[in-house]
Amino acid sequence: MKKILCKIGDFFETLFAMIVALIFGVCVVFLLPLDYIKYKRSLYYKTEHKKYKLYAASGVNFEIYNEIIKNDLPIKFICNPDDDSLEHGWFVYNNTLIIPNVFSFEYNPETKKWNYCCEVVEEDDTEKRIIMSLEEYIEIEVQEANELAGDTICDKAIVLIDANCIENAEFAKSENKFLIYDDNREEVLKKFCNNN
């Protein structure tokens, strides 16, 4: 009986591995060509003429770069000298670093500060942990951008963030270190350029 149960367990383990491999293969076969076509038709490719890299059209910087070109915004993209891919560069406008962000922020009423947080899953419990304050996060990003660029490309920064990634988005709009967008990131970027 024990041998039969082991063989059944091995069968299901093999079946599961095959299903995972099949799903991965389908993703590669269908999603990679779609990403390649999206890249080749993009304003980024038409402007920069850079060779395609795997899943180059799926990052947030790719989307923002195309929105900037489409709307003829005066925001510059500065490449990282160590890695010229789009995901490792910086958006700068009038010495202000624009930080596209996908992490969450929470307001702490005791300290009256916004904090960069991440969710940590430990066993059956999920909790948010504060990593650093908004000010520390911005200071680190500005310092890193200037160091990696080898020049002072910015002296201040603003976090471009989806309203879904921030607790109490309406209250957060009063924080001048956030550029918060709901559905239309392009309009928020246009307004930022016009006001600065």
Side-chain angles (χ1 to χ4, degrees):
M1 183 72 164
K2 194 174 186 179
K3 287 182 182 182
I4 293 171
L5 289 176
C6 285
K7 287 185 180 190
I8 291 172
D10 290 343
F11 170 76
F12 282 112
E13 189 176 298
T14 305
L15 181 64
F16 178 74
M18 289 173 55
I19 290 170
V20 169
L22 181 66
I23 291 170
F24 178 75
V26 167
C27 288
V28 168
V29 168
F30 290 108
L31 295 181
L32 197 55
L34 292 175
D35 190 71
Y36 179 79
I37 291 166
K38 181 179 177 183
Y39 180 82
K40 287 293 187 174
R41 291 183 176 177
S42 71
L43 293 171
Y44 172 76
Y45 177 73
K46 291 174 182 171
T47 304
E48 300 292 331
H49 304 291
K50 290 189 177 180
K51 187 177 177 184
Y52 175 78
K53 293 181 181 177
L54 287 178
Y55 297 107
S58 61
V60 69
N61 281 5
F62 178 81
E63 293 172 10
I64 293 171
Y65 189 99
N66 285 301
E67 291 168 3
I68 289 168
I69 294 172
K70 176 182 163 192
N71 293 289
D72 197 29
L73 297 175
I75 299 170
K76 293 186 293 186
F77 180 76
I78 300 171
C79 287
N80 182 334
D82 299 330
D83 182 352
D84 70 344
S85 70
L86 194 54
E87 290 306 309
H88 295 99
W90 305 279
F91 294 103
V92 178
Y93 178 70
N94 281 350
N95 293 329
T96 301
L97 177 67
I98 300 170
I99 308 168
N101 193 359
V102 294
F103 302 110
S104 65
F105 280 87
E106 284 185 356
Y107 185 73
N108 184 335
E110 294 172 9
T111 61
K112 297 184 179 175
K113 290 186 176 184
W114 286 95
N115 295 304
Y116 161 59
C117 303
C118 72
E119 287 189 357
V120 178
V121 179
E122 292 179 359
E123 295 178 19
D124 292 337
D125 188 28
T126 301
E127 66 177 61
K128 284 193 176 180
R129 288 210 183 136
I130 295 172
I131 305 298
M132 65 185 79
S133 70
L134 174 62
E135 288 78 14
E136 291 171 310
Y137 176 68
I138 285 175
E139 184 180 321
I140 289 169
E141 290 291 324
V142 167
Q143 182 181 1
E144 183 179 290
N146 289 329
E147 284 177 7
L148 290 174
D151 193 11
T152 303
I153 60 171
C154 56
D155 54 18
K156 56 188 177 264
I158 193 159
V159 177
L160 180 64
I161 188 166
D162 188 325
N164 295 326
C165 294
I166 196 160
E167 179 186 90
N168 194 349
E170 284 306 311
F171 177 63
K173 288 180 181 177
S174 64
E175 172 59 62
N176 63 0
K177 292 181 176 88
F178 286 130
L179 267 182
I180 301 170
Y181 62 92
D182 290 311
D183 297 324
N184 198 338
R185 184 172 47 213
E186 294 175 39
E187 287 304 315
V188 170
L189 288 170
K190 282 183 200 176
K191 186 176 179 184
F192 172 72
C193 291
N194 290 335
N195 293 339
N196 293 294

